[in-house]
Amino acid sequence: MVKLEDSYVPLSQLPEWSDVTPIPQDDGPHPVAPIAYTQEYAEAMDYLRAVMKARELSSRALELTEEIVWLNAGHYTAWAYRLDILKHLNVDLYSELDFLSEFAEVNPKTYQLWHHRQEIVKLLNDPSREHDFIAKLLATDSKNFHAWSYRQWVVTQFNQWDGELPYVAQLIDEDVRNNSAWNQRYFVLTRGSTQDLDRDTLRREIDYCLEKMALAPNNECPFAYCRGLLKKFGTHDDWLLIRAQLRALGGVANAGDVAAARSQYAWGLLLDTEEHLIREATEEEGLTARRAEVRRVRTNFRV
Amino acid sequence: MPPYTPDDGLSTSTSRQQRVVEEDIQQLLDHHLAKHPNGFEGLTLNREAHIKFIEKTLRGLGSNSQGLDPGRPWLFYWPLNSLALMDVEIADDLKTRTVATLARLQRPEGGYGGPDQLPHLAATYAAVLSLAIVGTPEAFASIDRMKQPDGSFTAHRGGEVDVRGSYCAIVIATLLNLLTPELTANVSTFIARCQTYEGGIGSRPNVEAHSGYAYCGLATLAILNSLDVLDIPALLHWSAGRQMTLEGGFNGRTNKLVDGCYSFWAGATFPLLESAVRRSWSHHRPLDPKFEMFLEDDMGYLYDRRRLQEYILGCCQATHGGLRDKPEKFPDPYHTCYVLAGLAASQHRLREDAAITTTTTENSKGPMEADSDVPPTLADLLSWTVDVVDECVLGPRKDNLLRALHPIYAIPFNRVTAVFRYFYGDDQVQACL
């Protein structure tokens, strides 16, 4: 393991590198926007050029890639080369997972880290450490885009749907405004947009939304989630239900002065609900009356 | 000023972070209001300082920018685009050196990458746009068109797949006249699958909607004449929600913090959305009555341009030059470029020419029938026009007005036309104008 705090010993002074002639970077005579690299990085890159040119898939080259990604986390070429070496050397890939876990603590938002981890887990065909690995990072940043995206891959690839809903519910309990968790909830319930919701599940989700809406009416998440579910899976009765509930929620219809009445999200969803019902309506059901209702809601919405 | 976002008596991590930023911005905006007799009309773009900041990065960057080494071509695009938007003449010497330095980042196997690194789609996108801004025959001739990336749209060999890759690949191929049916096949189907229940677009199917990916997806579909694969009203709803009530700037995802760079990623989606709505209008489909108001409005777009400009001019300018994410942050080349790009996009009325739109809609596809994507015609690609509407420019025009930005290629309009002339032929372009 390369320790950054160790005093820097140039590779050129190490006997194990004595047979390699480093290849310096050639930016040309008057480059635009050159970067003043640290000596450590510049030298490591000179050696990387040399070993890559020779297609050397060795353990010292593996160590070199590790040094480079510690110095420059987004170095996609070093990551890709590292993967080639790992495949070739047949080393213990679980130790690679350990390295990646440590690396992720410092660089949780590097694209390459996540992609590399995915490739390693594919090779191992073992997701057993992934749940904890991701959960630990989400505990630090509960909206880490890469972590959630990767989590979806793990869940889908290894059919780990069980347990995901309680986990997501827990994160929503911790911060009801965590939209990444809400997005994951939709992902879990629809099994990655491959599955319909049965009636009971849909009603349960609507109730869940209503509870969270009441908790913090100016939080967009449950309104967007509810709208998404209804548009995809809702029946006429479901839309009627949500209309009634939204009106009840803090007396929206009467524009009372409670928090819910000031919620632009409550008004927005109510407006969409009325518009949906209009599109469904026939003349017998009183289309004209419905239109008047939409005008009324929209006027309130603008105010 | 609007009140702080209410936390409904329930404090969470999200609401606490949001409140800190709102107080910061409120304080800064109040300060500007107190200082300027004309209120926000007194806000000006500090061009000289920004130009100095950019020129400094072109001379060289410190080791703290080492992390940008793999994305080196971006270090040309960000500053050159910033200069072009501010209408700064790019010196001949800088043009020549840019062509020469980028030539060294071009890979024998095709595309561009960091020094001696694998070719990468995003790096290639940045390199091609940089050369388009330079705009000389030498710059265009330096691009080896025969060796562009294939249609797989991983970011690089063995790399990750996402909507960003689709956007970069399609933009590169469009500018260089390399679009083929093989390259465009299924692109729009993939993007349509990335639209989430919220209406926005994520990096991959089922991933949370994000302004950066929404822009990439929408711009790609706009090139391919396939906007109708999306639920446009839902996307419009979500996009409008990205503008923050108090801050005036945009965030990238629901319940995240404002960031100046989304002035572009989120802001530039609006001309594309407007185009999508117009297309559906000319399709004689039932038009959602919500849209009528915004199509008739001279300001256009479903966001508040002036409030965005208050945020950009009032909160994103660093005292000593350069533009930034939010007041507490330092400026950098990335934010300088995209905050200026967002400012430029908000100052102009950008729209697709109606005549062209009518001809294309005759051939256009129904919803979700896009597997047979065909490359667009040159006439389609040249169909964007620009107006300056006075009310769209906050503050003095002579200080603040930037060059019009193309909403798809993210460089000034005049540079885009020059690229098309070179790669499609003067005559062909002339015939379409």
Side-chain angles (χ1 to χ4, degrees):
Chain A
M1 188 64 55
V2 174
K3 291 282 194 310
L4 290 176
E5 60 273 22
D6 287 353
S7 60
Y8 166 57
V9 180
L11 294 174
S12 56
Q13 291 175 17
L14 297 174
E16 60 264 40
W17 287 100
S18 60
D19 62 317
V20 175
T21 311
I23 303 175
Q25 180 166 323
D26 181 7
D27 266 357
H30 302 290
V32 176
I35 298 172
Y37 305 120
T38 59
Q39 193 195 346
E40 216 175 340
Y41 178 70
E43 195 197 29
M45 279 303 299
D46 293 349
Y47 278 83
L48 183 74
R49 268 184 279 274
V51 292
M52 281 188 74
K53 194 174 175 196
R55 286 301 293 162
E56 179 183 314
L57 303 174
S58 62
S59 44
R60 70 175 178 184
L62 187 68
E63 279 174 33
L64 183 62
T65 59
E66 185 174 332
E67 179 174 347
I68 287 173
V69 297
W70 273 118
L71 294 166
N72 195 340
H75 202 300
Y76 61 89
T77 306
W79 283 108
Y81 187 48
R82 182 174 182 83
L83 188 61
D84 288 345
I85 299 171
L86 287 166
K87 284 178 182 168
H88 180 78
L89 288 183
N90 214 6
V91 293
D92 174 18
L93 292 177
Y94 287 102
S95 63
E96 184 69 359
L97 290 186
D98 291 339
F99 157 62
L100 292 170
S101 299
E102 187 188 344
F103 191 84
E105 300 275 313
V106 186
N107 302 286
K109 290 189 174 177
T110 302
Y111 278 94
Q112 287 76 19
L113 154 76
W114 295 97
H115 182 67
H116 189 78
R117 179 122 189 162
Q118 182 173 320
E119 295 299 310
I120 300 297
V121 170
K122 262 194 228 169
L123 289 172
L124 284 168
N125 195 29
D126 174 10
S128 58
R129 299 185 181 188
E130 299 318 284
H131 182 93
D132 288 350
F133 164 70
I134 302 165
K136 194 170 174 196
L137 290 165
L138 287 176
T140 314
D141 174 6
S142 62
K143 298 176 182 178
N144 183 325
F145 197 78
H146 301 282
W148 282 108
S149 177
Y150 178 64
R151 192 175 181 94
Q152 292 192 350
W153 177 80
V154 172
V155 167
T156 312
Q157 184 79 9
F158 297 98
N159 201 18
Q160 297 204 321
W161 300 98
D162 294 344
E164 193 63 5
L165 198 58
Y167 174 71
V168 168
Q170 178 204 326
L171 288 196
I172 293 176
D173 283 344
E174 283 166 17
D175 183 352
V176 73
R177 300 177 179 93
N178 181 353
N179 195 58
S180 303
W182 282 92
N183 186 76
Q184 187 78 350
R185 190 174 182 94
Y186 191 94
F187 166 76
V188 177
L189 282 162
T190 61
R191 290 286 190 269
S193 313
T194 61
Q195 200 167 291
D196 282 351
L197 295 194
D198 60 59
R199 305 295 320 140
D200 288 350
T201 310
L202 181 63
R203 281 297 170 104
R204 194 191 69 207
E205 288 305 295
I206 292 175
D207 286 346
Y208 183 79
C209 289
L210 289 166
E211 180 199 320
K212 302 303 176 194
M213 288 172 188
L215 197 60
N218 287 285
N219 169 30
E220 183 169 8
C221 302
F223 295 95
Y225 180 80
C226 187
R227 177 190 287 107
L229 287 179
L230 286 171
K231 275 175 73 174
K232 188 92 188 274
F233 307 110
T235 63
H236 182 72
D237 284 349
D238 297 325
W239 284 95
L240 287 176
L241 169 75
I242 200 72
R243 178 169 69 173
Q245 292 291 332
L246 280 170
R247 287 175 169 181
L249 180 72
V252 165
N254 303 317
D257 61 354
V258 290
R262 285 186 277 109
S263 165
Q264 54 170 315
Y265 307 116
W267 283 110
L269 182 55
L270 184 56
L271 180 56
D272 285 350
T273 304
E274 297 294 355
E275 288 188 346
H276 177 86
L277 292 170
I278 275 193
R279 278 194 293 273
E280 281 192 349
T282 61
E283 280 301 335
E284 289 80 6
E285 286 172 311
L287 191 56
T288 316
R290 288 273 168 77
R291 286 225 160 101
E293 180 62 14
V294 167
R295 270 197 300 278
R296 197 183 68 76
V297 173
R298 185 175 284 135
T299 309
N300 282 330
F301 188 40
R302 279 189 197 151
V303 175
Chain B
M1 288 296 293
Y4 295 126
T5 301
D7 76 355
D8 301 324
L10 178 73
S11 165
T12 64
S13 162
T14 299
S15 63
R16 287 188 291 273
Q17 291 176 32
Q18 174 64 20
R19 182 58 180 257
V20 168
V21 171
E22 286 185 357
E23 284 177 2
D24 215 17
I25 287 167
Q26 177 79 67
Q27 195 182 8
L28 201 51
L29 290 175
D30 285 346
H31 169 77
H32 286 299
L33 274 182
K35 203 169 80 180
H36 299 293
N38 295 338
F40 292 130
E41 285 297 328
L43 287 172
T44 55
L45 184 68
N46 192 358
R47 283 174 190 257
E48 274 181 35
H50 300 323
I51 292 168
K52 271 189 191 153
F53 176 83
I54 292 159
E55 286 174 342
K56 190 165 168 245
T57 71
L58 285 168
R59 281 197 296 278
L61 297 122
S63 60
N64 58 347
S65 298
Q66 192 161 278
L68 296 170
D69 193 40
R72 189 97 180 271
W74 289 105
L75 296 176
F76 299 79
Y77 168 69
W78 295 329
L80 291 177
N81 200 38
S82 301
L83 292 178
L85 286 168
M86 289 192 283
D87 213 10
V88 176
E89 187 74 30
I90 297 169
D92 287 344
D93 170 59
L94 179 57
K95 287 184 182 174
T96 315
R97 286 166 51 229
T98 299
V99 175
T101 314
L102 276 172
R104 287 171 188 273
L105 300 173
Q106 188 162 215
R107 303 298 306 158
E109 62 269 45
Y112 292 77
D116 305 303
Q117 294 174 35
L118 297 172
H120 190 290
L121 268 176
T124 306
Y125 165 90
V128 169
L129 291 191
S130 303
L131 293 166
I133 295 167
V134 168
T136 59
E138 293 74 30
F140 295 141
S142 75
I143 305 169
D144 188 345
R145 288 192 306 153
M146 298 306 292
K147 296 172 183 167
Q148 281 303 308
D150 67 14
S152 67
F153 304 154
T154 56
H156 56 88
R157 178 182 65 78
E160 71 277 3
V161 173
D162 61 30
V163 172
R164 212 175 37 131
S166 311
Y167 169 70
C168 292
I170 294 298
V171 165
I172 295 161
T174 303
L175 289 175
L176 305 183
N177 193 8
L178 294 168
L179 280 180
T180 61
E182 292 76 32
L183 196 67
T184 57
N186 293 321
V187 169
S188 56
T189 312
F190 174 74
I191 296 171
R193 288 177 54 218
C194 296
Q195 185 169 28
T196 78
Y197 71 85
E198 287 191 90
I201 298 173
S203 57
R204 289 195 278 266
N206 302 306
V207 175
E208 187 182 5
H210 184 293
S211 294
Y213 297 104
Y215 170 78
C216 288
L218 197 54
T220 308
L221 294 175
I223 294 176
L224 299 177
N225 281 331
S226 300
L227 289 163
D228 48 9
V229 300
L230 296 175
D231 179 347
I232 292 292
L235 179 54
L236 198 45
H237 181 106
W238 177 83
S239 301
R242 303 282 55 77
Q243 187 165 29
M244 308 296 278
T245 310
L246 182 141
E247 301 89 312
F250 290 97
N251 67 4
R253 299 184 256 159
T254 301
N255 281 344
K256 292 276 285 179
L257 300 173
V258 69
D259 180 338
C261 75
Y262 294 121
S263 306
F264 172 75
W265 298 115
T269 58
F270 287 96
L272 303 172
L273 283 166
E274 183 178 333
S275 168
V277 173
R278 281 181 189 283
R279 279 165 189 250
S280 76
W281 179 302
S282 61
H283 244 334
H284 304 294
R285 289 198 198 139
L287 186 76
D288 194 314
K290 263 189 297 213
F291 298 148
E292 283 173 28
M293 180 175 71
F294 112 85
L295 286 177
E296 285 159 9
D297 174 9
D298 216 27
M299 290 276 278
Y301 312 162
L302 273 180
Y303 75 102
D304 189 330
R305 294 160 182 260
R306 296 175 70 86
R307 295 255 27 243
L308 174 66
Q309 293 177 32
E310 284 166 22
Y311 179 68
I312 290 175
L313 296 170
C315 301
C316 293
Q317 301 194 82
T319 319
H320 300 294
L323 294 110
R324 61 195 177 195
D325 163 349
K326 54 175 77 63
E328 75 203 55
K329 305 274 184 175
F330 291 107
D332 59 56
Y334 166 85
H335 283 90
T336 302
C337 171
Y338 287 114
V339 174
L340 288 173
L343 178 60
S346 68
Q347 289 171 330
H348 301 87
R349 187 84 203 263
L350 309 167
R351 60 169 73 177
E352 259 190 309
D353 188 291
I356 303 276
T357 307
T358 312
T359 57
T360 60
T361 49
E362 280 169 18
N363 302 322
S364 79
K365 302 161 284 281
M368 304 309 290
E369 291 172 19
D371 345 36
S372 57
D373 287 338
V374 285
T377 65
L378 183 58
D380 292 336
L381 299 174
L382 292 167
S383 61
W384 285 89
T385 57
V386 189
D387 292 309
V388 179
V389 181
D390 269 336
E391 301 81 70
C392 293
V393 183
L394 179 71
R397 270 178 71 153
K398 69 172 174 45
D399 295 310
N400 295 0
L401 184 62
L402 298 175
R403 291 213 70 115
L405 176 93
H406 199 294
I408 293 174
Y409 308 104
I411 54 177
F413 262 86
N414 55 346
R415 316 279 172 160
V416 175
T417 315
V419 181
F420 280 129
R421 283 184 188 281
Y422 187 88
F423 288 109
Y424 288 77
D426 260 337
D427 297 350
Q428 301 279 323
V429 170
Q430 210 57 44
C432 299
L433 292 177

